[in-house]
Amino acid sequence: MSLSKIKQPIFPIGAVLWLFAWCLVLGGVGCYSFRLPCQRCKTDVDCVGRQQCRKQLGEELGVCMNEQQGYLCWGFACKSGESRPCYSGAAGTEGQSRCRAGRQFCVENRWESCLNEIIPSPEKCNGIDDDCDGNIDESVLCVSTLAGGVEGYANGAGSVARFREPRGLALDSSGDLYIADTKNHRIRKLSFLQGDELEIRVALWAGTGEAALVDGFRTTSAAFYEPRSVAVDALGSVYVADSFNQALRKIDTRDQVTTLVGETSGICTDQTNQPLSLREPTGLALAPSGRLWVADTQHHVLRQFAFSADKPCLMSLVVGDGACLQDVQECYRDGAASQAQFWAPSGVAVGPLGDVYVADHNNNMIRKISAEGVVSTIAGGGSDQPGFKDGSGAEARFRFPRGIAVDLRGSVYVADTDNHAIRKITPDGKVTTLVGDGTPGFQDGDGASARLYAPWALVVDALGTLYVADSKNHRIRKIVQEAQSHD
């Protein structure tokens, strides 16, 4: 038999494969029902799947293997009017926290864009789990306002409460804050009330508001004169650096205010049983032993007080020689307790190993007193070198720092007052800036955008959360450094 007499197929194999590939491009179900020749129709009912009955246009003739113009079954991605759920976020994030699927609608046989879906986004400082990983504001340092606003005096919810240049803070064992409301001549208490939602309440703790030195019942009789620091012991007694009264005061658990050291009265003595005096005490810190450290600012020394049944209040140690004079250009020396020099020490804090840290205000330095009483400098450039610079140790610059706090890991936090910033010193001496750029202002938000105005004091809790007395903004601010789990 000759090859010329072999019957040829009606449709060449190449043409069939070409049609199959074309139909896959058009939407997976095929441009028709894959019947050859193309399936004619009158209505959509004559077509299968999602195909529709549509008039074939002239430019489409080649697709349908030389069919003449007419109505044919065409395949599309969808039928107009259909809808389906859609989600383009990462796998495993749909339904987590804020993330949710949207809806996609079919218009003119094509799926439109996904509407109203919420997918993960980079984490922001906004109290929301933006990236849908179960944590709120993680890896973003966040600054917020707990209480205060315009200058004044008012108790109540955080947004209602008013302060006048708060300059001292202390945390008690339950996590509540005591505030030296300096220009209101009062001690205030900020409580965190647990309920369906966390509520903040500010109340008067002590002081009538009169600028005076009066002992007695804490709210109705006692008076202070620009208190600048507070500390709370394990039993709940509150110690007050009553600066312009040149006094150290105590508010005991019986609600009575007494003067421990004052110009004309006081129960504290030195080791020779002589009465004591202070000159603008500014900083207080309690050691785990119960001993109280006092920054006796204008005497340029640090004093330690011990309390016992035999000696109700005994000054047990003095660090610094107190030799700074009014007109000196430099008053700085490291060394043993009796030889070291400070210049207007302001803030004081006790670290987890018992070391004492001091914001040496006029020296623009951060100093450390070891357990053996030896003074050293951990950061800062000196009285003649105020500035704003991160770096290690002596490379760093501060501008008249006043407040200081130490966390459980040994990191030191500094209220760099005249730089309007919060700084951090790691245990290896590296200084970085957490909040502020050197300009005063008020703004909540992340560390780069938030603004402070003369932060004076700060404390840190066991989680590493900082609380700041933002004095010139008349507010108490909160700085969260770690992620919060979202249930």
Side-chain angles (χ1 to χ4, degrees), residues 2 29 38 68 71 125 130 141 163 189 344 360 376 380 454 470:
S2 69
V29 295
C38 298
Q68 300 298 315
Y71 286 86
C125 181
D130 298 286
L141 184 145
F163 305 93
K189 183 178 181 180
D360 195 357
S376 59
D470 191 4

Side-chain angles (χ1 to χ4, degrees), residues 185 206-225 242 245 247 249-251 255-259 264-265:
H185 315 295
T208 62
E210 179 187 5
L213 194 156
V214 180
D215 288 342
F217 191 77
R218 62 180 174 87
T219 56
T220 59
S221 301
F224 304 87
Y225 189 5
D242 195 1
N245 276 325
R249 318 284 293 282
K250 180 180 179 180
I251 310 168
D255 296 328
Q256 294 296 311
V257 177
T258 56
T259 299
T264 60
S265 64

Side-chain angles (χ1 to χ4, degrees), residues 337-353:
S338 60
Q339 299 173 347
Q341 288 185 340
F342 300 89
W343 193 357
S346 182
V348 58
V350 180
L353 301 179

Side-chain angles (χ1 to χ4, degrees), residues 122-421:
E123 199 69 25
K124 299 177 182 178
C125 181
N126 55 9
I128 298 173
D129 181 14
D130 298 286
D131 58 4
C132 301
D133 68 348
N135 296 308
I136 297 174
D137 297 341
E138 80 280 7
S139 304
V140 181
L141 184 145
C142 292
V143 181
S144 60
T145 298
L146 290 180
V150 297
E151 181 179 6
Y153 176 74
N155 293 311
S159 60
V160 173
R162 295 293 179 262
F163 305 93
R164 185 171 281 114
E165 293 193 25
R167 295 181 179 180
L169 289 177
L171 278 168
D172 68 11
S173 58
S174 64
D176 292 335
L177 283 168
Y178 289 82
I179 303 161
D181 190 2
T182 303
K183 296 292 186 178
N184 278 323
H185 315 295
R186 291 177 168 100
I187 307 303
R188 315 283 291 280
K189 183 178 181 180
L190 187 154
S191 300
F192 299 91
L193 305 179
Q194 299 291 339
D196 292 337
E197 293 185 2
L198 183 65
E199 182 181 357
I200 295 170
R201 302 290 295 182
V202 176
L204 171 67
W205 189 251
T208 62
E210 179 187 5
L213 194 156
V214 180
D215 288 342
F217 191 77
R218 62 180 174 87
T219 56
T220 59
S221 301
F224 304 87
Y225 189 5
E226 293 210 7
R228 292 185 179 177
S229 187
V230 285
V232 186
D233 68 17
L235 299 177
S237 293
V238 179
Y239 297 87
V240 181
D242 195 1
S243 295
F244 277 21
N245 276 325
Q246 322 299 333
L248 175 64
R249 318 284 293 282
K250 180 180 179 180
I251 310 168
D252 63 28
T253 55
R254 297 177 295 110
D255 296 328
Q256 294 296 311
V257 177
T258 56
T259 299
L260 301 181
V261 179
E263 290 185 297
T264 60
S265 64
I267 64 172
C268 293
T269 64
D270 65 13
Q271 294 181 349
T272 63
N273 209 34
Q274 295 299 307
L276 301 171
S277 67
L278 300 171
R279 189 175 174 193
E280 288 191 26
T282 303
L284 299 178
L286 277 160
S289 64
R291 296 194 174 197
L292 179 68
W293 284 91
V294 179
D296 190 356
T297 301
Q298 294 304 324
H299 279 148
H300 312 290
V301 298
L302 279 296
R303 301 184 189 273
Q304 185 192 77
F305 291 87
F307 308 97
S308 67
D310 295 335
K311 295 282 188 179
C313 181
L314 174 68
M315 187 183 69
S316 54
L317 180 65
V318 179
V319 180
D321 67 5
C324 287
L325 302 175
Q326 192 72 25
D327 59 349
V328 297
Q329 297 301 311
E330 181 177 302
C331 191
Y332 161 76
R333 185 188 301 131
D334 285 338
S338 60
Q339 299 173 347
Q341 288 185 340
F342 300 89
W343 193 357
S346 182
V348 58
V350 180
L353 301 179
D355 297 323
V356 177
Y357 296 84
V358 181
D360 195 357
H361 177 68
N362 280 357
N363 275 322
N364 301 300
M365 289 176 167
I366 305 304
R367 316 285 291 281
K368 183 173 83 169
I369 306 170
S370 71
E372 295 76 28
V374 178
V375 177
S376 59
T377 300
I378 65 170
S383 61
D384 61 340
Q385 298 185 59
F388 191 9
K389 180 183 177 183
D390 291 338
S392 295
E395 296 175 354
R397 294 291 180 268
F398 302 89
R399 192 177 300 277
F400 305 110
R402 289 197 177 273
I404 196 164
V406 189
D407 68 16
L408 295 177
R409 299 177 180 176
S411 291
V412 177
Y413 301 88
V414 179
D416 193 359
T417 305
D418 284 17
N419 276 326
H420 315 288

Side-chain angles (χ1 to χ4, degrees), residues 3-82:
L3 294 177
S4 61
K5 295 183 178 181
I6 298 177
K7 188 176 182 180
Q8 299 293 320
I10 298 175
F11 301 104
I13 296 300
V16 173
L17 292 177
W18 178 85
L19 175 62
F20 179 75
W22 180 270
C23 292
L24 287 179
V25 171
L26 289 180
V29 295
C31 53
Y32 322 115
S33 59
F34 287 108
R35 297 176 185 175
L36 298 175
C38 298
Q39 181 177 340
R40 292 189 176 278
C41 58
K42 293 183 178 180
T43 67
D44 290 351
V45 176
D46 298 328
C47 302
V48 298
R50 287 181 171 173
Q51 298 177 13
Q52 291 183 334
C53 190
R54 174 181 161 187
K55 186 175 182 179
Q56 186 182 18
L57 303 178
E59 61 267 23
E60 297 163 343
L61 289 175
V63 176
C64 276
M65 308 293 291
N66 298 317
E67 279 287 332
Q68 300 298 315
Q69 286 190 349
Y71 286 86
L72 302 169
C73 290
W74 283 79
F76 298 94
C78 57
K79 278 191 175 184
S80 295
E82 287 185 314

